[in-house]
Amino acid sequence: AALTDDQFIKYMDLLELKISDVEPLFNILDDEDGKVTINEFCDGMVHIKGTARSYDVMRILQEQNKLRTCCREMGNKIDALLRQSKSNMRLEQASQELIRGI
């Protein structure tokens, strides 16, 4: 509804943003609770207002943070798999030693 509201469109134009920027802008300003508060909006727009360059940098930083989180999670999973693999190897070695001892 807001995307077709003339006042909203004029406001976006005043901020030098296109309607196609609304969803990425929301994602940038949102602190991942699914809402953009007035404070989040104002704080974010201070960094964005006036230049597409700042907007692009904020989008890149947001993506970088998501990638960093994803990489950290993958690293943790890999570490857990390696620990499990080493544990399995030790169990296999212990089993073979028991079999040889019988």
Side-chain angles (χ1 to χ4, degrees):
L3 299 180
T4 58
D5 180 60
D6 287 337
Q7 187 174 6
F8 178 77
I9 292 170
K10 287 177 186 176
Y11 186 68
M12 292 295 290
D13 191 46
L14 179 68
L15 295 173
E16 299 176 8
L17 295 169
K18 298 175 283 196
I19 293 300
S20 60
D21 295 329
V22 171
E23 185 176 348
L25 177 63
F26 177 87
N27 293 331
I28 289 169
L29 300 177
D30 179 31
D31 62 3
E32 299 192 14
D33 65 356
K35 303 177 220 168
V36 175
T37 65
I38 291 292
N39 288 338
E40 289 170 338
F41 181 79
C42 292
D43 290 344
M45 293 311 295
V46 165
H47 293 93
I48 292 172
K49 189 176 179 224
T51 62
R53 192 174 188 177
S54 294
Y55 172 79
D56 293 337
V57 169
M58 285 189 70
R59 284 186 70 180
I60 291 167
L61 289 173
Q62 179 194 33
E63 287 301 313
Q64 177 192 15
N65 285 332
K66 287 180 182 179
L67 287 170
R68 183 183 307 131
T69 299
C70 183
C71 288
R72 187 177 304 123
E73 289 171 358
M74 285 182 4
N76 290 340
K77 288 178 182 179
I78 290 169
D79 287 343
L81 287 171
L82 287 172
R83 284 191 301 273
Q84 182 64 41
S85 178
K86 287 177 183 176
S87 176
N88 289 344
M89 288 174 63
R90 284 192 295 269
L91 286 173
E92 179 66 27
Q93 288 172 346
S95 295
Q96 288 176 3
E97 288 174 9
L98 279 173
I99 291 171
R100 277 187 242 130
I102 294 178

